Amino acid sequence: MPDQVARLEKDVADVQQQAAAASKAQAEIAKSVADIQAKLGGDVVKRSDIADLSARVDDVVRQTTATSDKVDQMNARVDRLSQDVQAVRDAQRRAAMPAPTGSTVPGVAGGGPDADAAAAAAGAAAAMAPAGGSAPNPNALYTSAYADFSKGNYPLAISGFEEFAQRYPDADLADNAMYWIGECKFSQGAFKDAVTAFDAMLAKYPSSDKAAAANLKKALAFLQLNKVGEGVEQLRFVVATYPGTDEARIAKDRLASLGNP
């Protein structure tokens, strides 16, 4: 299940980049249309201008269709992941129930093959469940929180990621959990809180593989707050600190769009 989440996270990042590319292409088309409209006022419109615009429109349509298809595929995967998480939770609840007297398993009468299968399933669930039932399974907790995030259930996702980060600060995914808290805040439009969340993650895990993404999203949050100076400074920091990364490329594009190449 952790591998499924990791693959899903990567695919989400890929789709976000494709959406950004499509948005940039749409902006270029809008500029081309404006140029052609200006020429209609006096200058001769070349056929090559129309052909170029038509090709760009076709390209954007293809990009948008491909992105939409991938979003649909990811939604289906999130649904399957949510079902897996719910199955784990149900299994853990059953495993935590007091053992019945005798050799039968609750819901299964007698001791035939069905009872043996149910007993084996209960034993497997018990192995997955935390000792003493004192803490949730970390993989299930993280996966559940990420599934909530992917489906737009941001308050639930924040609660799950916060619990994971607090209970398992030394886990490999602890930095990711803190990063996704910032993403949830950003998606909610709570940009000031998003900056605070990204700062907390970067302070605790400065060498995280999510550091570049956190710094980029922090810059975008500043821009949303109309703190353009801080946003530009942060974008330049991303370009200088993480050269060659997708985050640096996106930061460069955003700086160019702001007139700060």
Side-chain angles (χ1 to χ4, degrees):
M1 196 175 293
D3 290 341
Q4 289 177 295
V5 175
R7 287 195 297 271
L8 191 58
E9 286 184 356
K10 183 180 183 303
D11 289 344
V12 167
D14 289 343
V15 169
Q16 288 175 336
Q17 290 170 16
Q18 289 176 359
S23 178
K24 181 182 177 183
Q26 288 171 347
E28 292 173 350
I29 288 175
K31 184 178 182 302
S32 297
V33 170
D35 290 343
I36 289 176
Q37 288 175 334
K39 287 181 180 180
L40 288 175
D43 296 339
V44 176
V45 179
K46 298 178 181 178
R47 286 188 177 183
S48 60
D49 292 337
I50 301 295
D52 180 61
L53 181 59
S54 178
R56 290 188 182 185
V57 169
D58 289 343
D59 186 51
V60 169
V61 169
R62 283 194 296 270
Q63 288 183 31
T64 303
T65 301
T67 301
S68 178
D69 289 344
K70 286 197 173 183
V71 168
D72 290 341
Q73 292 170 15
M74 282 193 299
N75 284 338
R77 288 166 61 187
V78 167
D79 288 338
R80 289 195 298 271
L81 205 56
S82 297
Q83 292 170 4
D84 291 344
V85 170
Q86 189 59 50
V88 170
R89 285 175 172 171
D90 292 343
Q92 289 175 342
R93 274 199 298 270
R94 288 194 298 271
M97 293 174 61
T101 57
S103 59
T104 60
V105 174
V108 180
D114 289 342
D116 292 338
M128 295 173 63
S134 59
N137 180 287
N139 291 335
L141 178 58
Y142 184 91
T143 303
S144 177
Y146 189 78
D148 285 329
F149 165 77
S150 300
K151 299 176 83 170
N153 298 328
Y154 300 122
L156 282 176
I158 290 170
S159 178
F161 285 130
E162 285 179 341
E163 183 177 359
F164 184 94
Q166 290 167 5
R167 287 183 181 273
Y168 311 106
D170 298 323
D172 289 341
L173 291 172
D175 55 333
N176 289 39
M178 293 189 70
Y179 170 81
W180 290 115
I181 291 170
E183 281 279 11
C184 288
K185 298 289 187 181
F186 191 98
S187 297
Q188 288 177 312
F191 301 113
K192 186 176 180 180
D193 291 341
V195 171
T196 300
F198 289 129
D199 279 340
M201 175 259 173
L202 291 165
K204 192 164 187 177
Y205 305 102
S207 300
S208 167
D209 58 359
K210 287 287 188 183
N215 275 297
L216 176 62
K217 268 309 182 67
K218 183 179 170 183
L220 300 181
F222 279 138
L223 295 177
Q224 291 288 345
L225 291 167
N226 205 30
K227 296 183 177 181
V228 179
E230 291 177 75
V232 168
E233 182 180 354
Q234 185 70 19
L235 288 170
R236 286 175 174 162
F237 173 80
V238 172
V239 172
T241 308
Y242 309 103
T245 63
D246 289 332
E247 288 79 9
R249 178 182 57 75
I250 294 170
K252 282 182 181 179
D253 288 344
R254 197 58 190 269
L255 283 168
S257 71
L258 293 169
N260 291 275

